[in-house]
Amino acid sequence: MLAAHVLARHLETVTVVERDVLPDGPEQRKGLPQARHVHVLWSGGARVVEDLLPGTADRLLAAGARRIGFHEDLVTLTSHGWQHRFPPRQFAIMCGRPLLDFVVRDRILAGGRITVRGRTEAVELAGDAGRVTGVRVRGLEDGTRELLEADLVVDATGRGSRLRHWLTALGLPPVEEDVVDAGIAYATRTFRAPEGATAGFPAVNVAADHRVRVPGRFGVVYPQENGRWMVTLSCTRGGELPTRDEDFLPYARSLRDPLVADLIADAEPLTPVFASHIGANRRLYPERLEGWPDGLLVVGDSLAAFNPIYGHGMSSAARTAAVLDERLARPLEPGGARRVQAAIGAVVDDPWIMAASKDIDFVGCRNRAGDPRLTGERAALHGFADLVASMAIRSPEVSDVVTDVMSMSTPQSELGSTRFMSLMQRGRLRPELTAPPLRPDELALVRLDRRGAVSAP
Ligand SMILES: Cc1cc2nc3c(=O)[nH]c(=O)nc-3n(C[C@H](O)[C@H](O)[C@H](O)COP(=O)(O)OP(=O)(O)OC[C@H]3O[C@@H](n4cnc5c(N)ncnc54)[C@H](O)[C@@H]3O)c2cc1C
């Protein structure tokens, strides 16, 4: 939708080809199975969306989304221990994905410059190896096939994109692809939160420790609109995801801390468990193809999709749309699509390497990536990453920079800067936390008063 929005700023007519009928409200739909699981929009991405579509954050908050300040409003057990709740530096917007999509879509389509062809599937590209001239589509109601001619085709079909196949059908060589697959699986259930908890209790995150050579298990409790908690339990390959309702709570208890289980033990479930096995890191390198055809670009998950645990997919997709906006301000010359595509590809590099370089350490991770940063001797890098992680949970200065990077507000290269190195040397460390930093009033709100409370500094 963001890509369509920016195209409509620069081109005469824009047609969105979509398999689903896009709902007239915040509802689930078949083409977006991931919407049944938690989705956080990091501040780096929220700012991009705000630039493209001013007022979106306010509309989301008015519709019940929560703005979570990092780390004040999040209680998180990282691989290296409990994170101190330092004053917020960045934020994330938490709400159901259907609400997020609806707020964005409603505003974009209200402009009236975009036509949506619902229940229509893109089946192949038209044109030849030098120039894409349109898309062949199929109506899902009656099976009719049709050619939609276009000056520019943008593939935004998501993680399941058939682009590589479509390009070879035009006679082009296969686009290079990297895949790092830790076997991520998600199981999600929505609960009624205790009165006042979605506004007054922090978001909770219990992560695995990738240094322990067993499959990783994770769990989060995130506030949503309408007084709900969305609870997602996840694992890396071999982690035995709970797919039945009765297995959900015992799995939550098996995490490195029982906080998630304690929170949901007496909460009323509002949905069954939804499970998905989608979460490999996958990136295409279209810019490396010598003869990239004119008239074609690729954005969002079609270009690069990541392990969702890091919450970077939507922000990255928004950034690819923003680059499209910038580049289409000038007319596309012959041969220009490849340069625009290279600029789009550059902005997915940070989320790609952050996710892939972390996932590669999980047991059972399958690596089919040629990225030289993921091969060879990585012991020194591990040592540095572990040092940063262990300091970020206890030093506000180090935490600020790490949070800037994680929220996609600052380039990852900042972690290698002299400024950061000197912060690491000077960083004042708070005492190690041995329990979740929850205040007595917060514990009382969720009726866990008897759990040992550690006052947040
Ligand atoms: C379990 C899970 C949890 C996630 N959590 C987060 C999170 O917390 N934060 C975050 O930022 N990101 C998260 N993500 C990633 C996020 O969902 C994606 O990055 C984002 O949806 C990408 O947007 P997109 O528009 O590129 O693709 P999608 O949102 O997948 O949209 C693709 C669209 O194309 C349509 N389509 C597909 N094929 C065709 C076709 N052939 N013809 C016509 N239409 C077609 C589909 O119906 C769909 O509407 C998560 C992903 C998963 C799997």
Side-chain angles (χ1 to χ4, degrees):
M1 271 300 142
L2 292 174
H5 175 59
V6 305
L7 289 173
R9 283 180 173 175
H10 303 289
L11 305 174
E12 221 166 279
T13 55
V14 177
T15 304
V16 173
V17 177
E18 170 57 58
R19 270 195 195 126
D20 284 346
V21 172
L22 294 174
D24 197 17
E27 287 154 34
Q28 298 287 349
R29 61 187 178 88
K30 194 172 167 216
L32 212 68
Q34 71 263 41
R36 298 203 178 270
H37 303 289
V38 287
H39 268 73
V40 303
L41 180 63
W42 275 106
S43 43
R47 286 187 203 104
V48 176
V49 175
E50 200 62 27
D51 278 353
L52 296 175
L53 212 55
T56 303
D58 282 347
R59 282 174 194 238
L60 286 167
L61 298 179
R66 179 151 171 220
R67 188 182 193 276
I68 295 285
F70 274 74
H71 286 278
E72 175 62 32
D73 304 324
L74 178 81
V75 164
T76 183
L77 178 61
T78 73
S79 48
H80 291 72
W82 288 103
Q83 162 83 48
H84 276 270
R85 291 169 69 180
F86 298 130
R89 164 85 168 193
Q90 296 292 341
F91 66 92
I93 293 180
M94 291 190 181
C95 65
R97 171 72 192 258
L99 175 64
L100 185 59
D101 279 11
F102 177 65
V103 166
V104 168
R105 182 168 69 233
D106 193 40
R107 290 203 53 209
I108 289 176
L109 296 183
R113 307 232 8 246
I114 298 167
T115 308
V116 178
R117 295 277 302 252
R119 300 289 293 144
T120 306
E121 185 176 45
V123 286
E124 64 183 351
L125 296 172
D128 56 36
R131 172 157 200 103
V132 168
T133 54
V135 191
R136 281 183 227 289
V137 300
R138 185 167 65 99
L140 293 177
E141 298 300 341
D142 55 11
T144 47
R145 287 183 174 249
E146 190 186 339
L147 167 65
L148 292 184
E149 288 184 341
D151 294 319
L152 179 63
V153 172
V154 177
D155 175 17
T157 55
R159 203 176 253 281
S161 169
R162 306 256 303 141
L163 186 69
R164 287 183 92 222
H165 173 77
W166 289 342
L167 286 171
T168 49
L170 290 184
L172 284 148
V175 178
E176 279 182 49
E177 180 185 49
D178 275 352
V179 179
V180 174
D181 180 6
I184 297 294
Y186 264 47
T188 295
R189 207 168 187 196
T190 300
F191 292 82
R192 192 182 308 287
E195 190 69 32
T198 52
F201 192 79
V204 168
N205 181 2
V206 174
D209 183 350
H210 59 279
R211 295 164 301 172
V212 182
R213 304 305 294 157
V214 296
R217 288 184 168 196
F218 309 76
V220 301
V221 180
Y222 286 169
Q224 307 281 292
E225 64 275 16
N226 301 327
R228 292 168 176 216
W229 271 339
M230 191 175 260
V231 180
T232 289
L233 304 176
S234 52
C235 65
T236 59
R237 183 165 287 108
E240 294 165 16
L241 187 81
T243 51
R244 297 180 311 173
D245 294 355
E246 58 271 34
D247 299 331
F248 201 75
L249 183 60
Y251 184 98
R253 276 239 176 270
S254 77
L255 300 178
R256 285 168 61 225
D257 185 275
L259 182 57
V260 172
D262 290 349
L263 288 170
I264 61 174
D266 296 321
E268 179 195 349
L270 300 173
T271 63
V273 173
F274 294 105
S276 310
H277 288 75
I278 31 175
N281 302 290
R282 175 193 146 278
R283 177 178 179 182
L284 296 184
Y285 297 93
E287 64 279 5
R288 293 190 189 159
L289 206 61
E290 285 252 328
W292 181 258
D294 274 333
L296 177 69
L297 294 170
V298 49
V299 296
D301 273 19
S302 305
L303 176 65
F306 319 106
N307 174 351
I309 282 174
Y310 310 109
H312 285 155
M314 294 188 299
S315 294
S316 174
R319 277 162 60 148
T320 61
V323 178
L324 197 60
D325 191 32
E326 235 172 77
R327 289 309 190 107
L328 290 184
R330 295 179 291 279
L332 273 181
E333 306 126 26
R338 183 166 176 228
R339 281 192 293 279
V340 175
Q341 190 58 54
I344 296 174
V347 299
V348 304
D349 191 58
D350 264 6
W352 156 257
I353 199 62
M354 278 194 263
S357 62
K358 193 137 194 213
D359 282 9
I360 212 162
D361 293 333
F362 282 108
V363 280
C365 181
R366 294 175 189 157
N367 179 10
R368 269 201 296 116
D371 188 326
R373 296 167 296 180
L374 299 171
T375 51
E377 184 46 65
R378 295 174 30 82
L381 273 180
H382 283 153
F384 180 65
D386 283 337
L387 182 65
V388 173
S390 63
M391 288 188 73
I393 58 175
R394 295 168 59 194
S395 151
E397 294 84 8
V398 175
S399 172
D400 276 355
V401 181
V402 171
T403 308
D404 286 351
V405 170
M406 274 310 289
S407 62
M408 290 180 63
S409 306
T410 295
Q412 208 220 5
S413 54
E414 184 62 23
L415 297 178
S417 69
T418 25
R419 188 183 84 88
F420 184 63
M421 295 303 157
S422 77
L423 269 184
M424 295 267 291
Q425 273 165 358
R426 287 186 280 118
R428 293 167 288 121
L429 292 185
R430 300 271 169 89
E432 200 168 322
L433 295 172
T434 52
L438 286 160
R439 297 190 307 263
D441 62 303
E442 289 171 336
L443 288 165
L445 190 61
V446 296
R447 296 179 218 108
L448 290 181
D449 317 40
R450 273 172 302 150
R451 217 188 131 114
V454 178
S455 292

